[in-house]
Amino acid sequence: MSELTHFNRRGEAHMVDVGDKPVTQREALAEGRITMQDDTLARIRAGDHKKGDVLGIARVAGIMAAKRTADLVPLCHPLPLTAVSIDFELEDSPPAVRCRARVRTGGQTGVEMEALTAVQIALLTIYDMCKAVDRGMVMTDIGLLEKRGGKSGEWRRDAADK
């Protein structure tokens, strides 16, 4: 990795100027999980939670979060997203919901922050909807899995860890 780009020569925070960068297709995939009690997972799986469709609402929350990332992360550029997909996988042992968010844009900067924000807000929404029956849920393993596009090209967590 090179230097931290969100600081100027005097060490002050600033928004990176991406104006001279070419527009390229960019994509990022992030994931995370929320662990919970068996009964909480059973309620989510059955779809009979009294607040409604937990995963459906969490999916919409994740999409909305990706679109609002620049409002939440101070030095993040607002981007015209071309696609956001949120997928969930129910895991039995230990009981958990895994969330993956894939975000795409044609732009001058990447969408890693949007994918990470989408995952975190989707998981936080699951927590919010289920906290009345399980306050011990834990969000964990949130991170970037891969990114494509831009000057730095392609990056994959599995390749970076070797």
Side-chain angles (χ1 to χ4, degrees), residues 57-68:
I57 293 167
R59 181 175 288 109
V60 172
I63 292 167
M64 290 174 64
K67 293 169 28 176
R68 300 297 302 259

Side-chain angles (χ1 to χ4, degrees), residues 16-87:
V16 175
D17 183 354
V18 297
D20 292 334
K21 293 172 82 176
V23 172
T24 62
Q25 293 303 306
R26 297 165 185 264
E27 181 177 322
L29 175 65
E31 78 170 359
R33 59 197 302 262
I34 184 167
T35 59
M36 59 195 62
Q37 297 171 2
D38 286 322
D39 184 58
T40 307
L41 182 61
R43 287 175 188 236
I44 291 170
R45 181 176 274 128
D48 63 358
H49 194 286
K50 71 178 187 176
K51 285 189 177 182
D53 176 9
V54 173
L55 298 182
I57 293 167
R59 181 175 288 109
V60 172
I63 292 167
M64 290 174 64
K67 293 169 28 176
R68 300 297 302 259
T69 299
D71 294 333
L72 300 169
V73 181
L75 300 177
C76 201
H77 292 83
L79 297 174
L81 304 182
T82 57
V84 178
S85 64
I86 309 287
D87 295 306

Side-chain angles (χ1 to χ4, degrees), residues 71-150:
D71 294 333
L72 300 169
V73 181
L75 300 177
C76 201
H77 292 83
L79 297 174
L81 304 182
T82 57
V84 178
S85 64
I86 309 287
D87 295 306
F88 297 106
E89 180 181 333
L90 305 180
E91 301 175 341
D92 292 318
S93 183
V97 176
R98 179 175 305 277
C99 174
R100 284 193 172 191
R102 185 175 301 276
V103 181
R104 292 185 185 112
T105 191
Q108 294 169 294
T109 190
V111 287
E112 296 91 345
M113 295 304 296
E114 288 74 10
L116 288 163
T117 300
V119 165
Q120 293 184 73
I121 295 301
L123 295 176
L124 189 60
T125 300
I126 293 170
Y127 185 94
D128 181 50
M129 293 190 69
C130 298
K131 70 182 181 280
V133 297
D134 186 356
R135 293 194 190 279
M137 292 175 283
V138 176
M139 291 168 272
T140 185
D141 302 324
I142 297 166
L144 186 67
L145 293 178
E146 60 188 48
K147 61 82 66 191
R148 290 184 186 88

